[in-house]
Amino acid sequence: MSSDAQSRLGPTAGQHAGPISEADVRQPLATPAKQASGFWHAVLRRYLAFVAVASLAWEFLHLPLYTIWTEGNTQELIFTAVHCAGGDVLIAGAALVLALLLVGNPGWPARGFGRVAALTVAFGVAYTIFSEWLNIVVRETWAYSDLMPVIPVIDAGLSPIAQWVLIPVVGFWWARRVVLPTDSRQRVPA
């Protein structure tokens, strides 16, 4: 790295920054991608917060598609929706971390955002297919009502699969807005 580039990035660990000159103030500290990568924690928080709220709403709204709607009491319905929404947040977080480990890079979310988002959605859908099979066929923990549309090839309910496509996609779109510059000419490519 050239000394000019090093001076714009600032001191490395263990070095002390000297006095700031007028020229230093005019120099950009980093590229837009480098600046945007500092927002990873905001994107993560916004994404998981969106998933939590949207999943809770979805879980309550699709309860009539399960037999618990007619067989359970009010406390069981509330517990089921809250319990499942909590599980959704854990699944979303695990899927995101796994995607970041496999295809993420240090510039995320400014770099590689689309790859990470797509893989996160794929992991969420794959886990949902497995979980629906495990809990309906093997463990018989829950069952679909006659109202649940079932996807024939995978024998999974349409509602949980749609949930794991729509909520993460909208969640990533909303979460990423925190790192995108308002001027479209300055946008950082995904």
Side-chain angles (χ1 to χ4, degrees):
M1 180 182 303
S2 72
S3 62
D4 181 50
Q6 178 62 38
S7 68
R8 283 194 305 256
L9 291 175
T12 57
Q15 293 180 337
H16 297 286
I20 298 175
S21 70
E22 189 175 320
D24 291 333
V25 173
R26 289 189 302 247
Q27 288 286 346
L29 292 177
T31 65
K34 182 87 170 155
Q35 291 168 343
S37 71
F39 289 103
W40 68 267
H41 49 85
V43 170
L44 181 65
R45 279 187 287 220
R46 286 172 62 105
Y47 174 69
L48 292 176
F50 180 86
V51 167
V53 172
S55 291
L56 185 61
W58 193 291
E59 293 297 344
F60 274 110
L61 291 172
H62 84 169
L63 276 173
L65 303 176
Y66 292 88
T67 56
I68 193 169
W69 181 252
T70 56
E71 297 170 1
N73 62 37
T74 303
Q75 286 106 353
E76 290 171 328
L77 295 174
I78 292 169
F79 175 80
T80 297
V82 172
H83 172 81
C84 291
D88 294 338
V89 173
L90 294 175
I91 296 163
L96 176 56
V97 167
L98 185 57
L100 283 167
L101 290 173
L102 293 176
V103 298
N105 66 55
W108 190 86
R111 298 275 189 241
F113 188 85
R115 285 188 311 271
V116 169
L119 195 55
T120 300
V121 171
F123 286 147
V125 169
Y127 179 80
T128 299
I129 293 168
F130 168 75
S131 178
E132 293 293 306
W133 168 79
L134 180 67
N135 289 292
I136 289 174
V137 176
V138 177
R139 293 182 179 165
E140 298 180 354
T141 309
W142 63 71
Y144 298 143
S145 76
D146 292 336
L147 299 174
M148 175 70 83
V150 176
I151 302 169
V153 176
I154 59 175
D155 282 333
L158 180 60
S159 182
I161 301 300
Q163 175 184 5
W164 278 98
V165 173
L166 296 174
I167 289 177
V169 167
V170 174
F172 276 121
W173 169 81
W174 183 71
R176 187 167 190 219
R177 292 171 48 92
V178 76
V179 298
L180 291 177
T182 54
D183 182 354
S184 63
R185 294 171 303 195
Q186 296 177 5
R187 289 194 182 207
V188 180

